[in-house]
Coordinates of all heavy atoms in Angstrom, one line a residue:
I96 N 11.0 2.3 29.9 CA 10.0 1.8 28.8 C 10.0 2.8 27.7 O 10.2 4.0 27.9 CB 8.6 1.8 29.4 CG1 8.6 1.0 30.7 CG2 7.6 1.3 28.4 CD1 8.5 -0.5 30.5
S97 N 10.0 2.3 26.5 CA 9.8 3.1 25.3 C 8.6 2.6 24.5 O 8.5 1.3 24.3 CB 11.1 3.0 24.4 OG 10.9 3.7 23.2
L98 N 7.7 3.5 24.2 CA 6.5 3.1 23.4 C 6.3 4.0 22.2 O 6.7 5.2 22.3 CB 5.2 3.3 24.3 CG 5.2 2.4 25.6 CD1 4.3 3.0 26.7 CD2 4.7 1.1 25.1
F99 N 5.9 3.4 21.1 CA 5.6 4.2 19.9 C 4.5 5.3 20.2 O 3.6 5.0 20.8 CB 5.1 3.3 18.7 CG 6.2 2.5 18.1 CD1 6.2 1.1 18.4 CD2 7.1 3.0 17.4 CE1 7.2 0.3 17.9 CE2 8.1 2.2 16.8 CZ 8.1 0.9 17.0
A100 N 4.8 6.5 19.7 CA 3.9 7.6 19.9 C 2.9 7.7 18.8 O 3.1 7.2 17.7 CB 4.7 8.9 20.0
D101 N 1.8 8.4 19.1 CA 0.7 8.5 18.1 C 1.0 9.3 16.9 O 0.2 9.4 16.0 CB -0.6 9.1 18.8 CG -0.4 10.4 19.5 OD1 0.7 10.9 19.6 OD2 -1.4 11.0 19.9
D102 N 2.2 10.0 16.8 CA 2.6 10.7 15.7 C 3.7 10.0 14.9 O 4.3 10.5 14.0 CB 3.0 12.1 16.0 CG 4.2 12.2 16.9 OD1 4.5 11.2 17.6 OD2 4.8 13.3 16.9
D103 N 3.9 8.7 15.2 CA 4.8 7.8 14.5 C 4.3 7.7 13.1 O 3.2 7.1 12.8 CB 5.0 6.5 15.2 CG 6.1 5.7 14.5 OD1 5.8 5.0 13.5 OD2 7.2 5.7 15.1
E104 N 5.1 8.1 12.1 CA 4.6 8.0 10.7 C 4.7 6.6 10.0 O 4.1 6.4 9.0 CB 5.4 9.0 9.9 CG 5.2 10.5 10.3 CD 6.0 11.4 9.5 OE1 6.9 11.1 8.8 OE2 5.8 12.7 9.7
E105 N 5.5 5.7 10.6 CA 5.6 4.4 10.0 C 4.3 3.6 10.0 O 3.9 2.9 9.1 CB 6.7 3.6 10.6 CG 6.9 2.2 10.0 CD 8.1 1.5 10.5 OE1 8.9 2.1 11.2 OE2 8.2 0.3 10.2
Y106 N 3.6 3.8 11.1 CA 2.3 2.9 11.2 C 1.0 3.7 10.9 O 0.1 3.0 10.5 CB 2.2 2.4 12.7 CG 3.3 1.5 13.0 CD1 4.5 1.9 13.7 CD2 3.3 0.3 12.5 CE1 5.5 1.1 14.0 CE2 4.4 -0.7 12.7 CZ 5.5 -0.2 13.5 OH 6.5 -1.1 13.8
I107 N 1.0 5.0 10.9 CA -0.2 5.7 10.6 C -0.7 5.6 9.1 O -1.7 5.9 8.8 CB -0.1 7.2 11.0 CG1 0.9 8.0 10.3 CG2 0.0 7.3 12.5 CD1 0.9 9.4 10.5
H108 N 0.3 5.0 8.3 CA -0.1 4.8 6.8 C -0.8 3.4 6.7 O -1.3 3.1 5.6 CB 1.1 4.9 6.0 CG 1.7 6.2 5.9 ND1 1.2 7.3 5.3 CD2 2.9 6.7 6.5 CE1 1.9 8.3 5.5 NE2 3.0 8.1 6.1
N109 N -0.7 2.6 7.8 CA -1.3 1.3 7.7 C -2.9 1.5 8.0 O -3.4 2.5 8.4 CB -0.8 0.4 8.8 CG 0.7 0.1 8.6 OD1 1.2 0.5 7.5 ND2 1.3 -0.7 9.5
E110 N -3.6 0.3 7.8 CA -5.1 0.4 8.0 C -5.4 0.6 9.4 O -4.8 0.0 10.4 CB -5.7 -1.0 7.7 CG -7.1 -1.1 7.8 CD -7.7 -2.5 7.5 OE1 -7.0 -3.3 6.9 OE2 -8.9 -2.7 7.9
K111 N -6.2 1.6 9.7 CA -6.6 2.0 11.0 C -7.8 1.1 11.4 O -8.8 1.0 10.7 CB -7.1 3.5 11.1 CG -7.3 4.0 12.5 CD -7.5 5.6 12.5 CE -7.6 6.0 13.9 NZ -7.6 7.4 14.0
V112 N -7.8 0.5 12.6 CA -8.8 -0.4 13.0 C -9.5 0.0 14.3 O -10.4 -0.5 14.8 CB -8.3 -1.9 13.1 CG1 -7.9 -2.5 11.8 CG2 -7.1 -2.0 14.2
G113 N -9.0 1.2 14.8 CA -9.7 1.7 16.0 C -8.9 3.0 16.3 O -8.0 3.4 15.7
A114 N -9.3 3.7 17.4 CA -8.7 4.9 17.9 C -7.2 4.6 18.3 O -6.9 3.8 19.1 CB -9.3 5.5 19.1
N115 N -6.3 5.1 17.5 CA -4.8 4.9 17.7 C -4.5 3.5 17.5 O -3.3 3.2 17.9 CB -4.3 5.5 19.0 CG -4.3 6.9 19.2 OD1 -4.7 7.7 18.2 ND2 -3.9 7.4 20.3
L116 N -5.2 2.7 16.9 CA -5.0 1.3 16.7 C -4.8 1.0 15.2 O -5.7 1.3 14.4 CB -6.1 0.4 17.3 CG -5.9 -1.1 17.4 CD1 -4.7 -1.5 18.2 CD2 -7.1 -1.7 17.8
Y117 N -3.7 0.4 14.8 CA -3.4 0.2 13.4 C -3.0 -1.3 13.2 O -2.5 -2.0 14.1 CB -2.3 1.1 12.9 CG -2.6 2.5 13.0 CD1 -2.4 3.2 14.2 CD2 -3.1 3.1 11.9 CE1 -2.8 4.5 14.3 CE2 -3.4 4.5 12.0 CZ -3.3 5.2 13.2 OH -3.7 6.5 13.3
K118 N -3.2 -1.8 12.0 CA -2.6 -3.1 11.6 C -1.2 -2.9 11.2 O -0.8 -1.9 10.7 CB -3.4 -3.7 10.4 CG -4.7 -4.3 10.8 CD -5.3 -5.0 9.6 CE -6.7 -5.6 10.0 NZ -7.2 -6.3 8.9
S119 N -0.3 -3.9 11.6 CA 1.1 -3.9 11.2 C 1.4 -5.3 10.8 O 0.7 -6.3 11.0 CB 1.9 -3.5 12.3 OG 2.2 -4.5 13.3
E120 N 2.6 -5.5 10.2 CA 3.0 -6.9 9.8 C 3.2 -7.8 11.0 O 3.2 -9.0 10.9 CB 4.4 -6.8 9.1 CG 5.5 -6.2 9.9 CD 6.8 -6.1 9.1 OE1 6.8 -5.1 8.3 OE2 7.8 -6.9 9.2
H121 N 3.2 -7.2 12.3 CA 3.4 -8.0 13.5 C 2.0 -8.2 14.3 O 2.1 -8.5 15.4 CB 4.4 -7.4 14.4 CG 5.7 -7.2 13.7 ND1 6.5 -8.4 13.3 CD2 6.4 -6.2 13.3 CE1 7.6 -7.8 12.7 NE2 7.5 -6.6 12.7
G122 N 0.9 -7.8 13.7 CA -0.3 -7.7 14.3 C -0.8 -6.3 14.5 O -0.2 -5.3 14.0
E123 N -1.7 -6.1 15.4 CA -2.2 -4.8 15.8 C -1.2 -4.1 16.7 O -0.6 -4.6 17.6 CB -3.6 -4.9 16.4 CG -4.7 -5.3 15.5 CD -6.0 -5.4 16.1 OE1 -6.1 -5.3 17.4 OE2 -7.0 -5.4 15.3
I124 N -1.1 -2.7 16.5 CA -0.2 -1.9 17.3 C -1.0 -0.7 17.7 O -1.7 -0.1 16.9 CB 1.0 -1.5 16.4 CG1 2.0 -0.7 17.4 CG2 0.7 -0.8 15.2 CD1 3.4 -0.5 16.8
Y125 N -0.9 -0.4 19.0 CA -1.6 0.8 19.5 C -0.5 1.9 19.7 O 0.5 1.8 20.3 CB -2.1 0.5 21.0 CG -3.0 1.7 21.5 CD1 -4.3 1.8 21.1 CD2 -2.4 2.6 22.4 CE1 -5.0 2.9 21.6 CE2 -3.1 3.6 22.8 CZ -4.4 3.8 22.4 OH -5.1 4.8 22.9
L126 N -0.7 3.1 19.1 CA 0.1 4.2 19.2 C -0.3 5.1 20.3 O -1.5 5.5 20.3 CB 0.2 5.0 17.8 CG 0.6 4.1 16.7 CD1 0.7 4.9 15.4 CD2 2.0 3.4 16.9
C127 N 0.6 5.4 21.3 CA 0.2 6.1 22.5 C 0.2 7.7 22.4 O 1.3 8.2 22.0 CB 1.1 5.6 23.6 SG 0.9 3.9 24.0
S128 N -0.8 8.3 22.9 CA -0.7 9.7 23.1 C 0.0 10.0 24.5 O 0.0 9.1 25.3 CB -2.1 10.3 23.0 OG -2.9 9.8 24.1
E129 N 0.3 11.3 24.7 CA 0.8 11.7 25.9 C -0.3 11.4 27.1 O 0.1 10.9 28.2 CB 1.2 13.2 26.0 CG 1.7 13.6 27.4 CD 2.3 15.0 27.4 OE1 2.2 15.7 26.4 OE2 2.8 15.4 28.5
K130 N -1.6 11.6 26.8 CA -2.6 11.3 27.8 C -2.6 9.8 28.1 O -2.8 9.4 29.2 CB -4.0 11.7 27.1 CG -5.2 11.5 28.1 CD -6.5 12.0 27.4 CE -7.6 11.7 28.3 NZ -8.8 12.1 27.7

Side-chain angles (χ1 to χ4, degrees):
I96 308 283
S97 177
L98 293 160
F99 287 106
D101 59 350
D102 62 342
D103 185 280
E104 294 175 354
E105 182 171 351
Y106 295 102
I107 61 174
H108 296 288
N109 295 358
E110 180 184 346
K111 188 171 187 173
V112 293
N115 290 359
L116 188 64
Y117 297 86
K118 284 190 176 180
S119 81
E120 63 186 74
H121 305 291
E123 291 182 344
I124 182 168
Y125 186 85
L126 303 181
C127 297
S128 67
E129 183 174 358
K130 183 179 177 182

